[in-house]
Amino acid sequence: MTLIVCGLAEVPGLIAARAPSHVITLLDAASMIPTPDGLSPDRHLKLSVNDIAEPTEGLILPSDDLVRRLLAFGRTWDETAPMIVHCWAGISRSSASAFVLACDRNPSVDERAIALTMRQAAKHAYPNRRIVALADDVLGRRGRMVEAVEAMGDYEYSGVGVPFDFAVRY
């Protein structure tokens, strides 16, 4: 089944058009949204986090706990309907989270193949390096997830992310 990676502005339209069973929201605390209408609160994971990779005063750094919550929630998804993973722009926090979920579902698949599939799907994807590094450690990937997102190369940023589908099974 499919993960739909997008920015906040696209969420209402994608919910109406694609009827996801689960939604993951990665936003700073001040921007956090309520659970969308028609979605059960237990199917909406709200993660308060800023898009940073190094500690910055006044901002929420991705943490080990955030990654563990992301993985636990992802494991509740039965893949019968899509899952939306979104942040503010659909570029960094959401693409990192989608990559983490795909790696978790595919423990024997080369992480680089998963990352390069993301690059093909979205030239603008730039997975948050801290989220990836934390997940790499939690999943025991020995640096392969970090190396994989680095192998994606440069990204093309035009000022806004574009929603994209990302397979969760390889």
Side-chain angles (χ1 to χ4, degrees):
M1 186 43 83
T2 300
L3 296 168
I4 304 166
V5 181
C6 67
L8 177 59
E10 292 83 29
V11 171
L14 286 168
I15 287 175
R18 306 283 300 273
S21 63
H22 291 67
V23 174
I24 298 174
T25 299
L26 299 113
L27 294 171
D28 64 275
S31 301
M32 189 55 66
I33 63 170
T35 299
D37 289 340
L39 190 68
S40 173
D42 66 328
R43 292 180 176 233
H44 182 204
L45 179 63
K46 300 176 190 180
L47 297 171
S48 292
V49 63
N50 290 95
D51 186 20
I52 56 174
E54 300 294 330
T56 304
E57 188 173 332
L59 300 180
I60 303 168
L61 184 68
S63 67
D64 186 67
D65 179 63
L66 177 136
V67 168
R68 291 183 187 283
R69 289 178 61 206
L70 172 69
L71 289 166
F73 183 80
R75 292 170 184 159
T76 69
W77 179 46
D78 66 8
E79 299 181 41
T80 58
M83 178 191 297
I84 290 177
V85 183
H86 80 92
C87 57
W88 187 261
I91 294 171
S92 184
R93 290 169 283 185
S94 55
S95 65
S97 298
F99 176 70
V100 167
L101 294 173
C103 286
D104 187 45
R105 296 262 169 148
N106 300 279
S108 61
V109 175
D110 178 55
E111 296 84 353
R112 186 177 296 239
I114 296 171
L116 294 178
T117 299
M118 178 175 281
R119 172 54 70 234
Q120 290 175 337
K123 300 294 184 203
H124 64 277
Y126 187 76
N128 177 285
R129 297 325 198 232
R130 176 145 175 106
I131 292 172
V132 172
L134 290 166
D136 189 294
D137 187 50
V138 168
L139 295 173
R141 298 296 180 100
R142 300 184 178 150
R144 294 188 309 269
M145 289 173 66
V146 172
E147 292 170 1
V149 296
E150 290 303 325
M152 290 172 69
D154 290 335
Y155 67 107
E156 296 175 11
Y157 179 64
S158 63
V160 65
V162 176
F164 67 95
D165 285 9
F166 186 59
V168 74
R169 293 282 180 186
Y170 294 85

